[in-house]
Amino acid sequence: MLKVTQLSYQHQRDTLLSDITFDLLAGELLVVLGPNGAGKSTLLKCCAGTLKPSQGSIHLNNTTLEQWPLNELAQSRAVLTQQLSIPFALRVHEVVSLGLSPWSLTIKEQDKAITDVLNMVGMAHFSDRVFNSLSGGEQQRVQLARVLVQLLAHGEQDLTGKLLFLDEPISALDLQQQQIVMRLLKTMTERGMSIFCVLHDLNLATLYADTLLIIERGETVYYATPSKMHHTSVVENTYKADLIQIDHSEKPLPQWQFRH
Amino acid sequence: MSELVQSLTKVRQSISPYLYLFILLGGISVWALTQGAYQISWFSVLQTTGYSLDQDIIMDVRLPRLLMAMLVGTTLAVSGALMQALFRNPLADPGLLGIAAGASVAVGLLIVFGEHWQFLQQVEWLKPYTSSFAAFIGATITCSVIFRLSKNQGKVSVLHLLLAGIAINAIAGSATGLLTYISSDEQLRALTFWAMGNLGGARWEHVFTLASLLSPMLIFLVIKSQQLNLLLLGEEEARYLGLDVERFKGQIVLVVALLVGVAVAFSGLIGFIGLMVPHLVRMMFGSDNRLVVPCSAILGAALLTSADTVARILVIPAELPVGLVTSLLGGPFFLWLLMRNIKGGQ
């Protein structure tokens, strides 16, 4: 699906990413973690095609990223950045409909696709509200609906070959909404979608991710399944925080608590 | 109060925006044709057959002027809507890039130095068009300079575009000042009058030229209006949705330069239409550019026609430059907008 090989990125003289290699398979949820300024968003922008890597290659379905025509790329990969604001008073359904612009659908098909994704993120009753009047969390869910509809335009069940990039998609959400969104992402991967998600919450990440990629100062420090992190001090060393590792009470997965 | 606003909004939504605006434009047009130093009855305006003095005045004087006001109003309003979408900034205005100022320098040069240019004196048929041509050339030169300055590593940077516009406006302001300083009394009067904006010289051939220049651009923009919506999300986001952002921005900047250049060429500097109209449209019908662009075109025509009619009838038998009327209305509107935005925390 997405194959990143020995990727490096330099800006002026600073090396922001060096020698990063990973594979994102169909139906896999890859969560990227790391301290502030580690290069998570830079990695996302390289893989999504905004930044051109200084070295290394990025292949999407065996074709290098640059060779993808813009519109075809937009039909198979969507990106949710941290930029949420919209300068004019667009309504929620108008914002979501922008996600359908790579497709040519009838108005009826558009309406159905928009209602479906708004239902998924629990925002259907806000459809006519002005986007700017919503809270930060609500705006985040609407923008998530916009990138989902870009990949689910035809309501297809099999989402193999679709790739979703998310940059901290739950940063403004309350606990209930965080869980709803993470479960939603999980159902998407079960239908074949590949998801590259930057997160800050370690516990949520280990609970839902198929694979974790932890980077620090632009270098890979951990790339494996979450369960392999058991009884290692990767997290403590990377974040340099005073933490206690415990077991999740339902699953054999590590979780972390702050030391008092 | 809020209930009243809500019910009014509902009424507006139930009527098609276009129908609503066309009725408004039609009413204003009939009013504009009847008003002036010589009063014409509503009946004469609607009468299409027969021959009379009224018909002569309408066909030779008022109708070309009405159509000219509509076309220029449309041009200014649409270029305002484009600028605001491009800059993601509700306070952007066509004057911002300095294109109008560049055009006015070219016209100033012509007014002050034109009589020394033998070529212009000899070609008789060119005379009525010279100032229009000068403004158009000035706008095109300014536009290409701004566009070149704003290209940063092959990309069009909106920030650089804005800064280049500020610099060009400053340079053009000084150049115009210098021209004012060295001009004779007669030239000074011509210069000042032109800079205030005027639709008085409207003729049928101007109307046809303007219409033929504008129509392809307006059709292009209506087709591209959904892509303008993508820019509202941000440039990076628009690219993720499959838009070739650099190319599209280039096209929009070029179209704006042409629109503003053409408008200035035919009517001088007319301010605030580009700022006000898209805002009024957004307040009435929402911010979807698929509606904002065509509705701004119609409302721009209606608003400039009203302003021009007011300019004609306020000090009969003389008339005010229409640029003064639009600025008198637009200035306070801009301040109100600014205050509302500050209060709204934007």
Side-chain angles (χ1 to χ4, degrees):
Chain A
M1 187 60 222
L2 179 74
K3 191 173 175 60
V4 175
T5 320
Q6 294 184 320
L7 178 130
S8 295
Y9 179 77
Q10 287 177 322
H11 181 68
Q12 288 160 355
R13 284 192 189 155
D14 300 329
T15 303
L16 300 183
L17 294 172
S18 73
D19 204 19
I20 292 190
T21 299
F22 68 89
D23 260 328
L24 177 56
L25 307 174
E28 183 179 353
L29 173 59
L30 173 77
V31 172
V32 180
L33 294 164
N36 293 333
K40 303 183 292 291
S41 295
T42 310
L43 179 63
L44 183 142
K45 284 180 183 181
C46 283
C47 297
T50 300
L51 296 177
K52 205 173 153 20
S54 321
Q55 273 169 21
S57 66
I58 301 167
H59 285 81
L60 183 57
N61 292 339
N62 299 323
T63 310
T64 57
L65 211 55
E66 299 97 65
Q67 285 174 325
W68 276 81
L70 270 178
N71 201 58
E72 273 179 46
L73 188 59
Q75 291 179 344
S76 40
R77 85 83 181 82
V79 187
L80 178 65
T81 61
Q82 292 185 52
Q83 148 74 31
L84 297 174
S85 72
I86 293 175
F88 297 107
L90 285 180
R91 293 185 187 281
V92 166
H93 66 89
E94 289 170 337
V95 174
V96 178
S97 77
L98 296 178
L100 289 170
S101 64
W103 304 92
S104 21
L105 299 181
T106 63
I107 292 184
K108 209 174 165 188
E109 288 169 326
Q110 286 188 18
D111 287 345
K112 186 182 177 315
I114 292 169
T115 315
D116 285 352
V117 287
L118 281 176
N119 274 323
M120 282 182 197
V121 298
M123 290 295 289
H125 53 298
F126 283 125
S127 175
D128 273 328
R129 283 275 296 274
V130 171
F131 179 80
N132 290 340
S133 69
L134 303 177
S135 74
E138 289 163 343
Q139 291 188 353
Q140 205 162 33
R141 279 148 70 197
V142 172
Q143 292 278 19
L144 179 65
R146 172 178 68 78
V147 292
L148 280 176
V149 85
Q150 193 180 340
L151 302 177
L152 298 169
H154 293 284
E156 54 270 66
Q157 267 306 309
D158 182 15
L159 298 172
T160 312
K162 305 274 183 184
L163 176 57
L164 179 60
F165 289 94
L166 303 167
D167 199 349
E168 298 190 26
I170 54 171
S171 59
L173 302 184
D174 61 35
L175 287 179
Q176 183 202 18
Q177 291 303 329
Q178 289 183 12
Q179 195 174 38
I180 290 175
V181 167
M182 291 315 290
R183 282 179 177 166
L184 175 65
L185 297 184
K186 219 49 204 163
T187 59
M188 290 294 135
T189 55
E190 279 159 16
R191 285 162 65 182
M193 189 186 278
S194 308
I195 301 180
F196 176 112
C197 180
V198 174
L199 281 186
H200 261 305
D201 191 320
L202 274 168
N203 293 333
L204 271 180
T206 36
L207 208 51
Y208 289 99
D210 295 308
T211 316
L212 289 179
L213 173 66
I214 304 181
I215 54 176
E216 186 191 6
R217 293 201 204 107
E219 290 178 23
T220 309
V221 292
Y222 181 89
Y223 175 54
T225 57
S227 58
K228 291 220 173 102
M229 207 139 49
H230 248 142
H231 312 302
T232 67
S233 49
V234 177
V235 166
E236 290 80 350
N237 292 343
T238 309
Y239 285 90
K240 297 180 182 63
D242 203 2
L243 301 172
I244 313 167
Q245 195 181 112
I246 52 168
D247 285 334
H248 191 271
S249 53
E250 289 176 346
K251 279 179 134 189
L253 287 169
Q255 298 277 290
W256 286 267
Q257 281 180 344
F258 284 107
R259 222 180 268 279
H260 185 63
Chain B
M1 187 64 195
S2 69
E3 275 178 21
L4 180 72
V5 172
Q6 270 182 358
S7 57
L8 276 176
T9 313
K10 268 193 184 154
V11 171
R12 279 198 221 106
Q13 281 171 346
S14 61
I15 307 172
S16 151
Y18 298 110
L19 184 71
Y20 186 76
L21 288 173
F22 272 122
I23 291 172
L24 181 75
L25 180 62
I28 288 174
S29 303
V30 175
W31 174 67
L33 290 174
T34 60
Q35 298 299 308
Y38 179 86
Q39 286 280 337
I40 295 173
S41 70
W42 294 76
F43 180 70
S44 292
V45 169
L46 299 171
Q47 194 179 31
T48 50
T49 54
Y51 173 84
S52 66
L53 180 63
D54 289 1
Q55 294 288 323
D56 267 359
I57 289 177
I58 288 174
M59 289 310 288
D60 293 343
V61 184
R62 293 207 184 146
L63 194 57
R65 180 159 185 170
L66 168 75
L67 293 175
M68 194 73 181
M70 284 183 180
L71 287 168
V72 172
T74 296
T75 310
L76 294 173
V78 169
S79 38
L82 294 182
M83 287 283 85
Q84 290 165 15
L86 186 67
F87 287 101
R88 300 182 80 233
N89 189 334
L91 300 179
D93 180 67
L96 197 74
L97 283 189
I99 299 166
S104 71
V105 171
V107 176
L109 282 171
L110 183 80
I111 290 171
V112 177
F113 297 112
E115 58 192 50
H116 303 303
W117 293 338
Q118 290 300 315
F119 172 73
L120 291 178
Q121 301 304 316
Q122 282 159 6
V123 190
E124 203 50 45
W125 62 268
L126 206 64
K127 274 188 182 164
Y129 297 101
T130 43
S131 65
S132 306
F133 269 125
F136 186 63
I137 291 168
T140 316
I141 293 173
T142 324
C143 176
S144 48
V145 170
I146 291 172
F147 203 61
R148 185 161 296 193
L149 282 176
S150 66
K151 272 207 168 182
N152 180 22
Q153 294 169 349
K155 288 183 177 176
V156 184
S157 140
V158 167
L159 179 70
H160 287 119
L161 206 65
L162 206 70
L163 290 173
I166 291 171
I168 299 267
N169 263 324
I171 297 166
S174 307
T176 312
L178 207 62
L179 287 171
T180 317
Y181 190 70
I182 59 172
S183 60
S184 67
D185 282 355
E186 194 188 337
Q187 289 165 346
L188 183 65
R189 193 176 154 74
L191 208 64
T192 316
F193 198 61
W194 181 83
M196 286 190 286
N198 194 356
L199 291 161
R203 267 177 258 230
W204 279 108
E205 54 262 38
H206 294 165
V207 173
F208 291 131
T209 318
L210 198 51
S212 60
L213 285 169
L214 275 183
S215 344
M217 284 192 266
L218 287 176
I219 293 167
F220 169 80
L221 290 173
V222 171
I223 295 170
K224 297 278 180 179
S225 52
Q226 168 70 352
Q227 302 189 348
L228 274 178
N229 279 340
L230 296 186
L231 280 186
L232 299 184
L233 290 172
E235 290 175 19
E236 194 185 330
E237 286 69 19
R239 204 171 291 118
Y240 292 140
L241 282 160
L243 179 68
D244 188 342
V245 175
E246 298 312 319
R247 198 183 126 106
F248 184 63
K249 276 199 295 184
Q251 288 173 342
I252 294 297
V253 169
L254 195 70
V255 169
V256 168
L258 285 169
L259 288 174
V260 177
V262 166
V264 170
F266 283 92
S267 60
L269 293 174
I270 297 174
F272 288 108
I273 295 284
L275 179 75
M276 271 193 293
V277 172
H279 272 283
L280 293 171
V281 170
R282 280 192 208 100
M283 277 184 221
M284 289 190 283
F285 309 117
S287 300
D288 185 341
N289 278 312
R290 284 172 296 182
L291 268 180
V292 172
V293 172
C295 288
S296 294
I298 309 169
L299 189 64
L303 211 67
L304 191 58
T305 304
S306 332
D308 186 46
T309 310
V310 170
R312 282 196 295 119
I313 61 177
L314 218 56
V315 287
I316 289 174
E319 57 178 68
L320 285 173
V322 65
L324 283 189
V325 178
T326 57
S327 298
L328 271 177
L329 292 172
F333 180 79
F334 187 84
L335 288 176
W336 171 76
L337 201 69
L338 215 56
M339 280 195 283
R340 206 179 72 137
N341 274 2
I342 292 167
K343 269 189 198 159
Q346 286 180 15

